[in-house]
Amino acid sequence: MLTRKEIENNELVQLASYAAKSSGTKGRSHREKEHPYRSAYQRDRDRIIYSTAFRRLEYKTQVFVNYEGDHYRTRLTHTLEVAQIAKTIARSLRLNEDLTETIALAHDLGHTPFGHSGEDALSELMAEHGWFDHNSQGLRVVDLLEERYPLFPGLNLTYEVREGIIKHSTPFDKPRAYIPFEIEGSPLLEIQVVDIADEIAYDNHDLDDGLASGLIEENKLESIALWKDAETEIKKKFSKIPAKIKRYQIVRSLINTQVTDLVKNTEHIIKKFNLKSASQVREMPERVVRFSDKMNELRKPLRIFLTDNLYHHYRVVRMADKAYRFIKDLFETYIKNSEQLPHSARTRLGKDDKYRVVCDYIAGMTDRYALDEYKKFFDPYKKV
Ligand code: MG
């Protein structure tokens, strides 16, 4: 059996000197005995996968609401794509793949139903009551809201994973966590990798889903150099292929091009600053894991295109606005008479602020649960 000690030793030998080692973790808030054959980060990964919040990601919107179709990305499949891209980057930079995977799997646990419109509604409603944002909520989920252990609340994850969830970009960028959280300096490279893998994943899968749904017309992409170059390459290789296969091939090539640029450029920065340890990474005034300037320029028009043509498409905007309105209605209904909250949430009322209890309850909902609750309140023929 490969023991934890051996895993830790392997990390010291195999990983780069600037990688985060599981034996160097700042540890957990509540003391626990180490596992015999899993590293601290492997254990955290498993705790996340077994959490309720993780399973709920399956029914939370990325861009397309669940009932639009079965083939679009959900927050769960988005999370898996982020983890997969992040692990590839981490492995090729000889970073800690286990830590990277764990942070990626946890990175969206604080998301509300209906994506950013749900978040906008809760931020507005909570402005006077201690605010809301999905990164802070993610930390709240793993620190407090998940109930698994008899001796402490939450999942008792390691400091580095919790830091990855709270997300911050520089030592000066103080995250507004609901829970006090001391920042050590710049984020570890593993955290930086997940952040960019998130961007790569959603830019490309939103493009793919946008095209599949017909909201984006492919010929409009001709003006985007990144797209055009990938298309030309594919056409050179295969002169006649079905449109759908061509689309997959282009998206696949786009991800590959961006990941390759990121890995090469990051390697270059690591060499330039002669980074030799994770503590040196902590002292860096700026991000180390980043695209080349050329790739940043190439990515810009693609992102603007997505904003104009997909995120601002009238059907996406209508759905977002509808979600915003009914999340607000639900919130106000619970606040007006909190005896309408189900038992699990009501038991917290004595101890916690009413607004926070309602906010946690709504933030944890899946899209379909929120829709169902809404019907129960506002459809007179629906059983309550
Ligand atoms: Mg994400």
Side-chain angles (χ1 to χ4, degrees), residues 62 75 78 82 107-108 111 198 202:
Q62 187 63 32
R75 215 156 271 282
H78 158 73
V82 174
H107 89 282
D108 269 354
H111 259 292
D198 189 18
Y202 65 66

PDB file of all heavy atoms in Angstrom, residues 62 75 78 82 107-108 111 198 202, ligand 1:
ATOM      1  N   GLN A  62     -25.521  27.292 -15.798  1.00  0.00           N
ATOM      2  CA  GLN A  62     -24.292  27.940 -16.213  1.00  0.00           C
ATOM      3  C   GLN A  62     -24.714  29.149 -17.053  1.00  0.00           C
ATOM      4  O   GLN A  62     -24.661  30.271 -16.595  1.00  0.00           O
ATOM      5  CB  GLN A  62     -23.432  26.938 -16.996  1.00  0.00           C
ATOM      6  CG  GLN A  62     -22.062  27.447 -17.342  1.00  0.00           C
ATOM      7  CD  GLN A  62     -21.179  27.749 -16.122  1.00  0.00           C
ATOM      8  OE1 GLN A  62     -21.294  27.098 -15.087  1.00  0.00           O
ATOM      9  NE2 GLN A  62     -20.330  28.736 -16.233  1.00  0.00           N
ATOM     10  N   ARG A  75     -23.705  23.701 -14.133  1.00  0.00           N
ATOM     11  CA  ARG A  75     -22.579  24.100 -13.308  1.00  0.00           C
ATOM     12  C   ARG A  75     -21.715  22.889 -12.908  1.00  0.00           C
ATOM     13  O   ARG A  75     -20.528  23.020 -12.675  1.00  0.00           O
ATOM     14  CB  ARG A  75     -23.055  24.879 -12.082  1.00  0.00           C
ATOM     15  CG  ARG A  75     -22.061  25.940 -11.729  1.00  0.00           C
ATOM     16  CD  ARG A  75     -22.595  27.077 -10.963  1.00  0.00           C
ATOM     17  NE  ARG A  75     -23.101  28.160 -11.776  1.00  0.00           N
ATOM     18  CZ  ARG A  75     -22.363  29.066 -12.397  1.00  0.00           C
ATOM     19  NH1 ARG A  75     -21.049  29.024 -12.349  1.00  0.00           N
ATOM     20  NH2 ARG A  75     -22.930  30.024 -13.083  1.00  0.00           N
ATOM     21  N   HIS A  78     -19.588  22.111 -16.086  1.00  0.00           N
ATOM     22  CA  HIS A  78     -18.607  23.204 -16.162  1.00  0.00           C
ATOM     23  C   HIS A  78     -17.475  22.936 -15.172  1.00  0.00           C
ATOM     24  O   HIS A  78     -16.296  23.017 -15.504  1.00  0.00           O
ATOM     25  CB  HIS A  78     -19.288  24.547 -15.853  1.00  0.00           C
ATOM     26  CG  HIS A  78     -18.332  25.613 -15.405  1.00  0.00           C
ATOM     27  ND1 HIS A  78     -17.456  26.238 -16.275  1.00  0.00           N
ATOM     28  CD2 HIS A  78     -18.083  26.149 -14.178  1.00  0.00           C
ATOM     29  CE1 HIS A  78     -16.727  27.102 -15.594  1.00  0.00           C
ATOM     30  NE2 HIS A  78     -17.078  27.066 -14.324  1.00  0.00           N
ATOM     31  N   VAL A  82     -13.500  22.493 -15.886  1.00  0.00           N
ATOM     32  CA  VAL A  82     -12.472  23.327 -15.241  1.00  0.00           C
ATOM     33  C   VAL A  82     -11.417  22.425 -14.593  1.00  0.00           C
ATOM     34  O   VAL A  82     -10.212  22.631 -14.748  1.00  0.00           O
ATOM     35  CB  VAL A  82     -13.089  24.273 -14.177  1.00  0.00           C
ATOM     36  CG1 VAL A  82     -11.996  25.023 -13.421  1.00  0.00           C
ATOM     37  CG2 VAL A  82     -14.051  25.261 -14.823  1.00  0.00           C
ATOM     38  N   HIS A 107     -14.723  25.210  -6.767  1.00  0.00           N
ATOM     39  CA  HIS A 107     -14.688  26.646  -7.072  1.00  0.00           C
ATOM     40  C   HIS A 107     -16.052  27.307  -7.256  1.00  0.00           C
ATOM     41  O   HIS A 107     -16.171  28.507  -7.095  1.00  0.00           O
ATOM     42  CB  HIS A 107     -13.760  26.931  -8.261  1.00  0.00           C
ATOM     43  CG  HIS A 107     -14.442  26.875  -9.591  1.00  0.00           C
ATOM     44  ND1 HIS A 107     -14.746  25.702 -10.220  1.00  0.00           N
ATOM     45  CD2 HIS A 107     -14.903  27.866 -10.393  1.00  0.00           C
ATOM     46  CE1 HIS A 107     -15.359  25.976 -11.364  1.00  0.00           C
ATOM     47  NE2 HIS A 107     -15.471  27.272 -11.494  1.00  0.00           N
ATOM     48  N   ASP A 108     -17.083  26.534  -7.568  1.00  0.00           N
ATOM     49  CA  ASP A 108     -18.398  27.144  -7.795  1.00  0.00           C
ATOM     50  C   ASP A 108     -19.450  26.710  -6.766  1.00  0.00           C
ATOM     51  O   ASP A 108     -20.644  26.888  -6.991  1.00  0.00           O
ATOM     52  CB  ASP A 108     -18.896  26.814  -9.211  1.00  0.00           C
ATOM     53  CG  ASP A 108     -18.469  27.881 -10.217  1.00  0.00           C
ATOM     54  OD1 ASP A 108     -17.903  28.900  -9.797  1.00  0.00           O
ATOM     55  OD2 ASP A 108     -18.712  27.692 -11.424  1.00  0.00           O
ATOM     56  N   HIS A 111     -22.329  29.117  -5.774  1.00  0.00           N
ATOM     57  CA  HIS A 111     -23.211  29.748  -6.770  1.00  0.00           C
ATOM     58  C   HIS A 111     -24.691  29.560  -6.454  1.00  0.00           C
ATOM     59  O   HIS A 111     -25.116  28.511  -5.995  1.00  0.00           O
ATOM     60  CB  HIS A 111     -22.912  29.217  -8.170  1.00  0.00           C
ATOM     61  CG  HIS A 111     -22.074  30.179  -8.951  1.00  0.00           C
ATOM     62  ND1 HIS A 111     -22.546  31.402  -9.357  1.00  0.00           N
ATOM     63  CD2 HIS A 111     -20.795  30.105  -9.370  1.00  0.00           C
ATOM     64  CE1 HIS A 111     -21.595  32.037 -10.004  1.00  0.00           C
ATOM     65  NE2 HIS A 111     -20.511  31.287 -10.014  1.00  0.00           N
ATOM     66  N   ASP A 198     -10.832  28.221 -15.270  1.00  0.00           N
ATOM     67  CA  ASP A 198     -12.253  28.585 -15.218  1.00  0.00           C
ATOM     68  C   ASP A 198     -12.599  29.444 -16.443  1.00  0.00           C
ATOM     69  O   ASP A 198     -13.551  29.180 -17.170  1.00  0.00           O
ATOM     70  CB  ASP A 198     -12.500  29.352 -13.907  1.00  0.00           C
ATOM     71  CG  ASP A 198     -13.975  29.612 -13.621  1.00  0.00           C
ATOM     72  OD1 ASP A 198     -14.829  28.928 -14.220  1.00  0.00           O
ATOM     73  OD2 ASP A 198     -14.269  30.491 -12.789  1.00  0.00           O
ATOM     74  N   TYR A 202     -15.121  28.359 -19.502  1.00  0.00           N
ATOM     75  CA  TYR A 202     -16.415  28.949 -19.857  1.00  0.00           C
ATOM     76  C   TYR A 202     -16.411  29.693 -21.170  1.00  0.00           C
ATOM     77  O   TYR A 202     -17.388  29.642 -21.910  1.00  0.00           O
ATOM     78  CB  TYR A 202     -17.072  29.715 -18.704  1.00  0.00           C
ATOM     79  CG  TYR A 202     -16.401  30.954 -18.165  1.00  0.00           C
ATOM     80  CD1 TYR A 202     -16.258  32.109 -18.925  1.00  0.00           C
ATOM     81  CD2 TYR A 202     -15.977  30.987 -16.842  1.00  0.00           C
ATOM     82  CE1 TYR A 202     -15.674  33.246 -18.390  1.00  0.00           C
ATOM     83  CE2 TYR A 202     -15.389  32.124 -16.292  1.00  0.00           C
ATOM     84  CZ  TYR A 202     -15.242  33.239 -17.073  1.00  0.00           C
ATOM     85  OH  TYR A 202     -14.662  34.361 -16.548  1.00  0.00           O
TER      86      TYR A 202
HETATM   87 MG    MG B   1     -16.669  28.645 -12.664  1.00  0.00          MG
END
